[in-house]
Amino acid sequence: MTRTLFITHESGLAHKMGAGHPEQPDRLRAIERELEGERFQHLIRISAPAVAREALLRVHPERHLRAIEAAAPREGLVALDSDTMMCPDSLTAALHAAGGAVAAVDEVMTGTADTAFVSVRPPGHHAGTTTPMGFCIFNNVAVAARHAIAAHAAERVAIVDFDVHHGNGTQEIFWADRQVMFCSTHQAPYYPGTGATSETGEFDQIVNAPLFAGATGDDFLEALTSRILPRLKDFAPDLVLISAGFDGHRDDPLGGLRFLERDYSEATKRIIDAALRNADGRVISLLEGGYDLDALGRSAAAHVLALMGA
Ligand SMILES: [Zn+2]
């Protein structure tokens, strides 16, 4: 039986970016509510620790960490960019979000679990080495990838990002890193404007498969199966990470794609299948976007069931 971790932290409920902001604490509650059912009783639930500074420093330089710490307000909100805010609890949430990603890597790489879903906020894939943006402060998936390499002797790590938005921060961080493959499906043209097929990285280890507005789950699965997974298998990663944004769902208020819950399930199964040969099925998924609370909860539940091998 597949042993699947569910990692979250209460600080994710205290990170607030202002009334009406779509990246809100209720997103985590919507996921938890769906995971209360009988089918999820075998999930191994652990609390995300705060990230070690050493792990953050593998992605973000000291001056960036100091700038974020200095920006954190004692009261009220401060804006890091036009749509990324910090409240007094945001730094703690960001440290536990990255820490949850690192904990998942520790558990999966040492074999105490096979797969993991890290349900944390703030998300990470728009955050560059020194640039918080697009609701993201630290790049959680990048911290996880570098931790697998530095602390667990992984030689190669692959990241699959199916958020509706391109993971520009992750692409920037790994642009010239031959040990990390970054693969993305996303709506284009759309925010943040990157992710063209021609963006392939220094070592041809970046694979962008943009989708036009209105693309369906079939279009998504076709792009994943024909353009991304063959490249991922050739790369032979020791670990596969997923930047799991569910804002490609048909009901999402931000995105313009038309995926359904079953598409996330099928995509997850195909990614796990691709990870079987070299990575022994080691797959860790981190929450990114997804802003319709019902669609997010149901899509994440379908994704987690697939991670559980159900
Ligand atoms: Zn997104």
Side-chain angles (χ1 to χ4, degrees):
M1 197 177 85
T2 308
R3 294 159 303 166
T4 303
L5 293 171
F6 178 77
I7 304 181
T8 188
H9 193 264
E10 61 196 9
S11 61
L13 301 174
H15 165 53
K16 293 173 183 156
M17 297 197 285
H21 198 296
E23 208 290 272
Q24 55 172 312
D26 281 347
R27 298 179 59 236
L28 298 186
R29 294 189 183 101
I31 293 171
E32 300 247 13
R33 209 161 34 237
E34 288 290 332
L35 300 188
E36 280 168 6
E38 178 88 2
R39 292 180 301 173
F40 300 97
Q41 62 174 330
H42 295 302
L43 278 178
I44 307 162
R45 296 169 191 260
I46 65 173
S47 182
V51 69
R53 200 168 185 87
E54 176 191 21
L56 275 185
L57 284 169
R58 296 188 189 112
V59 171
H60 302 291
E62 182 72 36
R63 67 186 165 90
H64 175 64
L65 303 186
R66 292 219 182 112
I68 296 296
E69 285 159 0
R74 283 167 181 255
E75 57 184 71
L77 296 177
V78 295
L80 300 176
D81 86 340
S82 59
D83 50 25
T84 312
M85 266 63 76
M86 288 183 86
C87 75
D89 296 303
S90 299
L91 180 61
T92 301
L95 294 172
H96 284 270
V102 168
V105 170
D106 286 337
E107 300 293 332
V108 169
M109 291 303 287
T110 55
T112 54
D114 306 298
T115 60
F117 183 65
V118 186
S119 187
V120 289
R121 330 175 26 251
H125 74 151
H126 294 305
T129 52
T130 60
T131 334
M133 70 176 275
F135 317 161
C136 303
I137 296 176
F138 301 130
N139 194 308
N140 306 321
V141 78
V143 171
R146 287 260 160 86
H147 183 71
I149 291 165
H152 296 282
E155 290 181 18
R156 289 172 305 281
V157 176
I159 300 168
V160 179
D161 184 330
F162 56 62
D163 191 278
V164 75
H165 305 98
H166 182 242
N168 60 307
T170 313
Q171 174 169 297
E172 176 218 298
I173 290 163
F174 296 116
W175 184 261
D177 187 335
R178 64 169 80 239
Q179 287 183 282
V180 180
M181 167 170 270
F182 174 67
C183 310
S184 177
T185 61
H186 47 275
Q187 183 180 336
Y190 196 45
Y191 179 91
T194 49
T197 310
S198 58
E199 297 167 20
T200 57
E202 204 74 37
F203 302 103
D204 200 30
Q205 88 298 5
I206 287 173
V207 183
N208 282 304
L211 301 168
F212 288 106
T216 65
D218 287 344
D219 299 322
F220 165 44
L221 292 170
E222 209 281 322
L224 184 71
T225 304
S226 69
R227 294 157 71 183
I228 287 178
L229 295 181
R231 295 287 308 278
L232 185 145
K233 286 182 195 167
D234 286 348
F235 187 69
D238 302 303
L239 173 69
V240 175
L241 303 174
I242 301 177
S243 264
F246 299 99
D247 40 10
H249 193 281
R250 185 185 58 188
D251 296 341
D252 195 88
L254 267 58
L257 301 180
R258 293 192 285 152
F259 304 174
L260 300 172
E261 292 86 327
R262 63 167 185 258
D263 301 315
Y264 293 110
S265 170
E266 182 60 29
T268 308
K269 288 175 185 169
R270 294 186 192 185
I271 293 167
I272 292 170
D273 188 60
L276 276 177
R277 193 156 140 202
N278 206 73
D280 205 20
R282 289 184 289 269
V283 176
I284 295 170
S285 174
L286 312 183
L287 179 65
E288 300 283 359
Y291 303 100
D292 180 88
L293 296 177
D294 289 337
L296 169 64
R298 292 193 312 266
S299 299
H303 175 61
V304 170
L305 272 180
L307 288 171
M308 296 170 75

mmCIF file of all heavy atoms in Angstrom, residues 73-104:
data_model
loop_
_atom_site.group_PDB
_atom_site.id
_atom_site.type_symbol
_atom_site.label_atom_id
_atom_site.label_comp_id
_atom_site.label_asym_id
_atom_site.label_seq_id
_atom_site.Cartn_x
_atom_site.Cartn_y
_atom_site.Cartn_z
ATOM 1 N N PRO A 73 5.329 43.262 8.918
ATOM 2 C CA PRO A 73 4.779 44.328 9.768
ATOM 3 C C PRO A 73 4.428 43.832 11.176
ATOM 4 O O PRO A 73 4.187 42.647 11.377
ATOM 5 C CB PRO A 73 3.511 44.737 9.016
ATOM 6 C CG PRO A 73 3.053 43.466 8.370
ATOM 7 C CD PRO A 73 4.304 42.693 8.022
ATOM 8 N N ARG A 74 4.391 44.737 12.129
ATOM 9 C CA ARG A 74 3.903 44.410 13.472
ATOM 10 C C ARG A 74 2.390 44.481 13.513
ATOM 11 O O ARG A 74 1.742 43.848 14.330
ATOM 12 C CB ARG A 74 4.482 45.391 14.500
ATOM 13 C CG ARG A 74 5.925 45.088 14.835
ATOM 14 C CD ARG A 74 6.548 46.249 15.609
ATOM 15 N NE ARG A 74 7.940 45.952 15.911
ATOM 16 C CZ ARG A 74 8.371 45.597 17.128
ATOM 17 N NH1 ARG A 74 7.531 45.513 18.129
ATOM 18 N NH2 ARG A 74 9.649 45.355 17.329
ATOM 19 N N GLU A 75 1.835 45.304 12.662
ATOM 20 C CA GLU A 75 0.372 45.362 12.544
ATOM 21 C C GLU A 75 0.023 45.789 11.120
ATOM 22 O O GLU A 75 0.879 46.307 10.395
ATOM 23 C CB GLU A 75 -0.213 46.349 13.551
ATOM 24 C CG GLU A 75 0.343 47.745 13.441
ATOM 25 C CD GLU A 75 -0.199 48.651 14.542
ATOM 26 O OE1 GLU A 75 0.203 48.460 15.707
ATOM 27 O OE2 GLU A 75 -1.025 49.517 14.213
ATOM 28 N N GLY A 76 -1.193 45.519 10.723
ATOM 29 C CA GLY A 76 -1.630 45.912 9.384
ATOM 30 C C GLY A 76 -0.993 45.076 8.288
ATOM 31 O O GLY A 76 -0.485 43.978 8.539
ATOM 32 N N LEU A 77 -1.006 45.592 7.075
ATOM 33 C CA LEU A 77 -0.480 44.879 5.913
ATOM 34 C C LEU A 77 0.609 45.701 5.250
ATOM 35 O O LEU A 77 0.539 46.924 5.231
ATOM 36 C CB LEU A 77 -1.595 44.657 4.875
ATOM 37 C CG LEU A 77 -2.783 43.773 5.229
ATOM 38 C CD1 LEU A 77 -3.790 43.771 4.084
ATOM 39 C CD2 LEU A 77 -2.318 42.350 5.531
ATOM 40 N N VAL A 78 1.626 45.018 4.703
ATOM 41 C CA VAL A 78 2.560 45.695 3.797
ATOM 42 C C VAL A 78 2.534 44.939 2.467
ATOM 43 O O VAL A 78 2.368 43.718 2.436
ATOM 44 C CB VAL A 78 4.008 45.744 4.331
ATOM 45 C CG1 VAL A 78 4.104 46.585 5.580
ATOM 46 C CG2 VAL A 78 4.542 44.350 4.565
ATOM 47 N N ALA A 79 2.691 45.683 1.390
ATOM 48 C CA ALA A 79 2.657 45.078 0.054
ATOM 49 C C ALA A 79 4.078 44.815 -0.433
ATOM 50 O O ALA A 79 4.924 45.707 -0.434
ATOM 51 C CB ALA A 79 1.931 46.001 -0.913
ATOM 52 N N LEU A 80 4.351 43.548 -0.826
ATOM 53 C CA LEU A 80 5.644 43.204 -1.411
ATOM 54 C C LEU A 80 5.612 43.430 -2.920
ATOM 55 O O LEU A 80 6.628 43.717 -3.542
ATOM 56 C CB LEU A 80 5.988 41.742 -1.122
ATOM 57 C CG LEU A 80 6.085 41.362 0.361
ATOM 58 C CD1 LEU A 80 6.341 39.863 0.502
ATOM 59 C CD2 LEU A 80 7.169 42.152 1.068
ATOM 60 N N ASP A 81 4.470 43.212 -3.532
ATOM 61 C CA ASP A 81 4.202 43.655 -4.901
ATOM 62 C C ASP A 81 2.715 43.976 -4.964
ATOM 63 O O ASP A 81 2.040 43.993 -3.920
ATOM 64 C CB ASP A 81 4.684 42.630 -5.949
ATOM 65 C CG ASP A 81 3.676 41.527 -6.255
ATOM 66 O OD1 ASP A 81 2.769 41.303 -5.429
ATOM 67 O OD2 ASP A 81 3.796 40.895 -7.304
ATOM 68 N N SER A 82 2.181 44.231 -6.134
ATOM 69 C CA SER A 82 0.811 44.755 -6.200
ATOM 70 C C SER A 82 -0.227 43.782 -5.657
ATOM 71 O O SER A 82 -1.306 44.196 -5.258
ATOM 72 C CB SER A 82 0.461 45.154 -7.629
ATOM 73 O OG SER A 82 0.584 44.032 -8.474
ATOM 74 N N ASP A 83 0.069 42.481 -5.623
ATOM 75 C CA ASP A 83 -0.923 41.536 -5.106
ATOM 76 C C ASP A 83 -0.363 40.554 -4.075
ATOM 77 O O ASP A 83 -0.945 39.514 -3.824
ATOM 78 C CB ASP A 83 -1.612 40.789 -6.258
ATOM 79 C CG ASP A 83 -0.636 40.198 -7.246
ATOM 80 O OD1 ASP A 83 0.522 39.938 -6.858
ATOM 81 O OD2 ASP A 83 -1.026 39.995 -8.401
ATOM 82 N N THR A 84 0.787 40.872 -3.493
ATOM 83 C CA THR A 84 1.403 40.004 -2.482
ATOM 84 C C THR A 84 1.611 40.815 -1.210
ATOM 85 O O THR A 84 2.435 41.721 -1.179
ATOM 86 C CB THR A 84 2.756 39.454 -2.977
ATOM 87 O OG1 THR A 84 2.576 38.951 -4.294
ATOM 88 C CG2 THR A 84 3.273 38.373 -2.053
ATOM 89 N N MET A 85 0.849 40.461 -0.194
ATOM 90 C CA MET A 85 0.897 41.219 1.048
ATOM 91 C C MET A 85 1.434 40.374 2.201
ATOM 92 O O MET A 85 1.330 39.148 2.186
ATOM 93 C CB MET A 85 -0.515 41.706 1.418
ATOM 94 C CG MET A 85 -0.844 43.101 0.922
ATOM 95 S SD MET A 85 -0.835 43.259 -0.865
ATOM 96 C CE MET A 85 -2.397 42.476 -1.258
ATOM 97 N N MET A 86 1.991 41.072 3.197
ATOM 98 C CA MET A 86 2.372 40.420 4.447
ATOM 99 C C MET A 86 1.585 41.045 5.590
ATOM 100 O O MET A 86 1.493 42.270 5.690
ATOM 101 C CB MET A 86 3.869 40.582 4.735
ATOM 102 C CG MET A 86 4.776 39.766 3.841
ATOM 103 S SD MET A 86 6.518 39.970 4.320
ATOM 104 C CE MET A 86 6.660 38.716 5.599
ATOM 105 N N CYS A 87 1.051 40.182 6.468
ATOM 106 C CA CYS A 87 0.462 40.620 7.736
ATOM 107 C C CYS A 87 1.436 40.155 8.831
ATOM 108 O O CYS A 87 2.454 39.531 8.524
ATOM 109 C CB CYS A 87 -0.940 40.019 7.904
ATOM 110 S SG CYS A 87 -0.963 38.266 8.331
ATOM 111 N N PRO A 88 1.155 40.427 10.096
ATOM 112 C CA PRO A 88 2.105 40.040 11.148
ATOM 113 C C PRO A 88 2.376 38.523 11.206
ATOM 114 O O PRO A 88 3.431 38.103 11.699
ATOM 115 C CB PRO A 88 1.431 40.550 12.425
ATOM 116 C CG PRO A 88 0.633 41.729 11.962
ATOM 117 C CD PRO A 88 0.102 41.318 10.617
ATOM 118 N N ASP A 89 1.460 37.701 10.708
ATOM 119 C CA ASP A 89 1.630 36.245 10.768
ATOM 120 C C ASP A 89 2.194 35.643 9.473
ATOM 121 O O ASP A 89 2.386 34.422 9.395
ATOM 122 C CB ASP A 89 0.284 35.591 11.075
ATOM 123 C CG ASP A 89 -0.235 35.979 12.457
ATOM 124 O OD1 ASP A 89 0.494 35.740 13.443
ATOM 125 O OD2 ASP A 89 -1.334 36.542 12.544
ATOM 126 N N SER A 90 2.430 36.465 8.484
ATOM 127 C CA SER A 90 2.808 35.926 7.167
ATOM 128 C C SER A 90 4.197 35.297 7.152
ATOM 129 O O SER A 90 4.414 34.276 6.489
ATOM 130 C CB SER A 90 2.737 37.028 6.108
ATOM 131 O OG SER A 90 1.420 37.520 6.018
ATOM 132 N N LEU A 91 5.148 35.906 7.866
ATOM 133 C CA LEU A 91 6.504 35.348 7.849
ATOM 134 C C LEU A 91 6.508 33.946 8.452
ATOM 135 O O LEU A 91 7.115 33.018 7.892
ATOM 136 C CB LEU A 91 7.461 36.273 8.605
ATOM 137 C CG LEU A 91 8.916 35.784 8.664
ATOM 138 C CD1 LEU A 91 9.503 35.656 7.259
ATOM 139 C CD2 LEU A 91 9.765 36.746 9.500
ATOM 140 N N THR A 92 5.813 33.780 9.569
ATOM 141 C CA THR A 92 5.729 32.443 10.186
ATOM 142 C C THR A 92 5.109 31.445 9.215
ATOM 143 O O THR A 92 5.595 30.313 9.062
ATOM 144 C CB THR A 92 4.891 32.520 11.480
ATOM 145 O OG1 THR A 92 5.520 33.454 12.357
ATOM 146 C CG2 THR A 92 4.799 31.171 12.163
ATOM 147 N N ALA A 93 4.031 31.859 8.542
ATOM 148 C CA ALA A 93 3.388 30.959 7.574
ATOM 149 C C ALA A 93 4.354 30.598 6.448
ATOM 150 O O ALA A 93 4.442 29.432 6.037
ATOM 151 C CB ALA A 93 2.127 31.625 7.016
ATOM 152 N N ALA A 94 5.084 31.577 5.953
ATOM 153 C CA ALA A 94 6.023 31.319 4.846
ATOM 154 C C ALA A 94 7.136 30.367 5.283
ATOM 155 O O ALA A 94 7.562 29.493 4.512
ATOM 156 C CB ALA A 94 6.615 32.645 4.351
ATOM 157 N N LEU A 95 7.598 30.517 6.528
ATOM 158 C CA LEU A 95 8.664 29.633 7.029
ATOM 159 C C LEU A 95 8.157 28.193 7.181
ATOM 160 O O LEU A 95 8.879 27.236 6.908
ATOM 161 C CB LEU A 95 9.204 30.161 8.364
ATOM 162 C CG LEU A 95 9.943 31.506 8.272
ATOM 163 C CD1 LEU A 95 10.263 32.038 9.669
ATOM 164 C CD2 LEU A 95 11.223 31.390 7.446
ATOM 165 N N HIS A 96 6.904 28.039 7.590
ATOM 166 C CA HIS A 96 6.347 26.689 7.726
ATOM 167 C C HIS A 96 5.937 26.106 6.369
ATOM 168 O O HIS A 96 5.956 24.881 6.200
ATOM 169 C CB HIS A 96 5.161 26.694 8.701
ATOM 170 C CG HIS A 96 5.585 26.792 10.140
ATOM 171 N ND1 HIS A 96 5.843 25.681 10.912
ATOM 172 C CD2 HIS A 96 5.838 27.865 10.919
ATOM 173 C CE1 HIS A 96 6.212 26.078 12.128
ATOM 174 N NE2 HIS A 96 6.215 27.404 12.159
ATOM 175 N N ALA A 97 5.588 26.961 5.432
ATOM 176 C CA ALA A 97 5.273 26.455 4.081
ATOM 177 C C ALA A 97 6.522 25.825 3.465
ATOM 178 O O ALA A 97 6.488 24.688 2.966
ATOM 179 C CB ALA A 97 4.737 27.587 3.210
ATOM 180 N N ALA A 98 7.628 26.539 3.521
ATOM 181 C CA ALA A 98 8.878 25.980 2.992
ATOM 182 C C ALA A 98 9.329 24.792 3.841
ATOM 183 O O ALA A 98 9.845 23.792 3.319
ATOM 184 C CB ALA A 98 9.956 27.061 2.954
ATOM 185 N N GLY A 99 9.098 24.889 5.148
ATOM 186 C CA GLY A 99 9.481 23.798 6.042
ATOM 187 C C GLY A 99 8.685 22.531 5.795
ATOM 188 O O GLY A 99 9.200 21.416 5.921
ATOM 189 N N GLY A 100 7.430 22.679 5.433
ATOM 190 C CA GLY A 100 6.620 21.519 5.084
ATOM 191 C C GLY A 100 7.162 20.815 3.854
ATOM 192 O O GLY A 100 7.188 19.570 3.780
ATOM 193 N N ALA A 101 7.618 21.600 2.899
ATOM 194 C CA ALA A 101 8.198 21.029 1.677
ATOM 195 C C ALA A 101 9.466 20.244 2.003
ATOM 196 O O ALA A 101 9.681 19.133 1.497
ATOM 197 C CB ALA A 101 8.497 22.158 0.685
ATOM 198 N N VAL A 102 10.292 20.817 2.874
ATOM 199 C CA VAL A 102 11.536 20.151 3.264
ATOM 200 C C VAL A 102 11.241 18.870 4.063
ATOM 201 O O VAL A 102 11.872 17.826 3.842
ATOM 202 C CB VAL A 102 12.419 21.124 4.087
ATOM 203 C CG1 VAL A 102 13.567 20.393 4.766
ATOM 204 C CG2 VAL A 102 12.946 22.230 3.176
ATOM 205 N N ALA A 103 10.269 18.938 4.961
ATOM 206 C CA ALA A 103 9.910 17.751 5.756
ATOM 207 C C ALA A 103 9.426 16.626 4.848
ATOM 208 O O ALA A 103 9.747 15.448 5.059
ATOM 209 C CB ALA A 103 8.838 18.114 6.784
ATOM 210 N N ALA A 104 8.650 16.980 3.830
ATOM 211 C CA ALA A 104 8.169 15.966 2.885
ATOM 212 C C ALA A 104 9.343 15.287 2.186
ATOM 213 O O ALA A 104 9.365 14.060 2.016
ATOM 214 C CB ALA A 104 7.226 16.606 1.867
#
